[in-house]
Amino acid sequence: MNNQPVILAIDQGTTSTRAILFSATLEILAVQQKELKLHYPHKGWVEQNPEAIWQDTLEVCHAVLEHNVSMVGSVAAIGITNQRETTILWDRKTGKPVYPAIVWQDRRTDIGCEQLKAQGYEPMVTARTGLLFDPYFSATKIAWILDNVEGVRSRAMRGELAFGTVDCYLLWHLTGGKVHATDVTNAARTLLFNIVEQKWDADLLTLFNIPETILPEVRDNAARFGMTDRILFGRGIPIGGMAGDQHAALIGQRCFRPGMVKSTYGTGCFALMNIGSDFKPSQHRLLTTPAYRLNGKMVYAIEGSIFIAGAAIQWLRDELEFFQEVAASDALALSVPDSNEVYFVPAFTGLGAPYWRPDVRGMISGLSRDTTRVHIVRAALEAQGYQTRDLMAAIEEDGGHHAEIIRVDGGLVANKFMCQFLADILNKPVEVPKITEATALGAAILAGLTVDLFADLEVTGCYWQRDKIYTPTITETERERLYAGWKAAVQSLLHASRN
Ligand SMILES: Nc1ncnc2c1ncn2[C@@H]1O[C@H](COP(=O)(O)OP(=O)(O)O)[C@@H](O)[C@H]1O
Ligand SMILES: O=P(O)(O)OC[C@H](O)CO
């Protein structure tokens, strides 16, 4: 019988939805997971069904609690973390979405972003939001729904509709439609939230032609977000933590000191460095974003965003049918000494930082008669290292700190070849924690803070444990030779796409 308090973390990712029960000493007690479908109705469009997102969330929460009935009464708080930027508009009365969720990877608004850039607005937007014009962020997705789905703009103007990223949509449903709120990290990914003044920005709302009536209230990451509707779990449970998945992973990896870096390899890859309490716009086309805000005090991070990481391995599995399980890619990559000069640039949905080219698409180069599928698999895993290397020096310069070590997490870090290659190409040690579910862990920490299971963030540091460390093994000459090949491949792609 377990009478100790436990925390339920909901991690709604792009590829799957997870519910994880954590003990008060932050060990994983139980996990339930369900894969989520992506839909590609047109080239460059990526959508998900919001109702499936909510139903899957409820299903995994019920499953994890049903399998651990003794713990149901012990859930002290819920923490929510989520794929960011993905945009949902729904009817405040019925909860029904007015359109599918437009996923962060969706590129349908790239021309609109180009036009705004050409009109010279980008410096102002970067100074206020830390972001730049790219279809990645929510604002142009919201505007697209308002402008393209019949009747939606007038319903929004009448106050009938609510906008939210996935965290906000889940909170609304978990509280039975009572709370329309988000947290500062998710708000910061919309292009509408001023992260210096920490409020929705009236000029940006005008620029994107978005009515304020649809926006949620913005709260700290550890806050009383509301109680779950009794109908859902038989009793009201406080929702105490909320953060976008990359910010939650920074917390889960305990990167509490300026200069500490984590890189999460899930569907995409996102490397964040904690830069402390001063806002600094990037000089290298990276993003400045809230790391977290607690008791009203903001800590910022510099972020490098890579759109495709694990998704490339899934593509090899599902579309090319190279293997049945993504885990098989590890042994395959290790079965050859190198990638035989093959480079795989996984720009399926454009290139993110530092290139920001929504128009380009993926490329596999260097194919010859003796290329095998194994070389392509290896090149796809190596691409994760190269993409991270593209960001690291810029993150260090923007952040003003040398990163001694990189803490990694996410589904892909189960792949030993990928982790070793990352250490080799970055020329830095790569640390894998015992709990690689850093995202859910971060949400659990935030929820635990609100219900006083932890006095402050720092006390949770003692529960972080390293599982493995990968150290560089290749020579400088080899490292630079490999990286030069990657740079040449990316340049040829960028050049070909411009012509
Ligand atoms: N052993 C592995 N080797 C390579 N890729 C893997 C491995 N295990 C998981 N992945 C990839 O990791 C991704 C899932 O990671 P996860 O952190 O759950 O993602 P998300 O939070 O985006 O849903 C998938 O894209 C999958 O292809
Ligand atoms: O689904 P993930 O874990 O790759 O994360 C998605 C990001 O939050 C998008 O910004």
Side-chain angles (χ1 to χ4, degrees), residues 253 261-265 384-385 388-389 392 403-409 412-433 436 464 466-473:
Q253 289 276 34
V261 176
K262 75 87 207 179
S263 194
T264 302
Y265 297 83
Q384 313 317 323
T388 312
R389 164 102 187 241
M392 205 42 71
E404 302 289 340
I405 215 159
I406 312 290
R407 290 187 169 177
V408 297
D409 55 86
L412 240 160
V413 303
N415 193 299
K416 297 190 183 61
F417 169 79
M418 198 285 291
C419 292
Q420 183 57 54
F421 189 77
L422 194 58
D424 287 341
I425 207 71
L426 293 178
N427 196 22
K428 284 183 193 295
V430 166
E431 261 184 334
V432 183
T436 55
W464 189 90
R466 181 161 83 196
D467 182 35
K468 288 192 202 79
I469 184 160
Y470 294 85
T471 50
T473 54

Side-chain angles (χ1 to χ4, degrees), residues 310-324:
I313 316 304
Q314 269 183 327
W315 179 77
L316 293 177
R317 179 194 67 187
D318 300 339
E319 306 305 330
L320 301 195
E321 300 182 1
F322 276 7
F323 36 73
Q324 287 189 331

Side-chain angles (χ1 to χ4, degrees), residues 59-261:
E59 194 180 315
V60 290
C61 286
H62 279 150
V64 85
L65 293 172
E66 271 161 26
H67 284 95
N68 300 277
V69 180
S70 61
M71 291 178 197
V72 176
S74 311
V75 180
I78 291 178
I80 303 174
T81 183
N82 56 292
Q83 52 167 319
R84 306 166 301 168
E85 299 96 13
T86 296
T87 296
I88 307 172
L89 263 79
W90 68 94
D91 186 295
R92 288 182 189 274
K93 270 212 190 100
T94 63
K96 288 260 173 249
V98 302
Y99 188 77
I102 304 188
V103 175
W104 58 277
Q105 294 174 325
D106 190 289
R107 315 273 83 194
R108 78 186 64 182
T109 59
D110 62 349
I111 292 169
C113 289
E114 270 308 311
Q115 285 164 350
L116 287 166
K117 211 182 288 176
Q119 287 163 16
Y121 289 113
E122 198 167 74
M124 179 274 277
V125 166
T126 301
R128 295 182 191 198
T129 64
L131 312 177
L132 27 75
F133 286 124
D134 192 90
Y136 176 31
F137 306 107
S138 311
T140 56
K141 300 181 198 294
I142 303 172
W144 189 95
I145 297 176
L146 291 170
D147 291 336
N148 291 281
V149 185
E150 208 185 325
V152 162
R153 185 171 285 281
S154 52
R155 286 169 71 195
M157 299 302 284
R158 289 198 298 271
E160 293 170 17
L161 302 184
F163 151 75
T165 39
V166 169
D167 54 302
C168 175
Y169 177 72
L170 292 180
L171 178 70
W172 197 88
H173 279 283
L174 283 165
T175 59
K178 287 203 179 71
V179 184
H180 184 214
T182 186
D183 76 89
V184 74
T185 65
N186 275 297
R189 312 299 292 193
T190 57
L191 268 177
L192 301 171
F193 189 75
N194 185 319
I195 64 170
V196 184
E197 294 179 7
Q198 299 178 37
K199 57 173 202 207
W200 295 116
D201 190 304
D203 295 336
L204 298 178
L205 288 168
T206 306
L207 182 68
F208 292 104
N209 193 18
I210 292 173
E212 196 168 357
T213 51
I214 63 171
L215 297 178
E217 182 194 326
V218 182
R219 299 186 185 167
D220 277 3
N221 295 103
R224 298 218 167 251
F225 283 94
M227 301 292 280
T228 57
D229 189 334
R230 293 182 69 86
I231 268 182
L232 300 175
F233 306 114
R235 69 182 185 95
I237 303 173
I239 299 155
M242 193 189 269
D245 53 7
Q246 306 309 323
H247 316 260
L250 194 77
I251 294 169
Q253 289 276 34
R254 320 300 205 279
C255 295
F256 302 144
R257 272 179 289 115
M260 292 185 79
V261 176

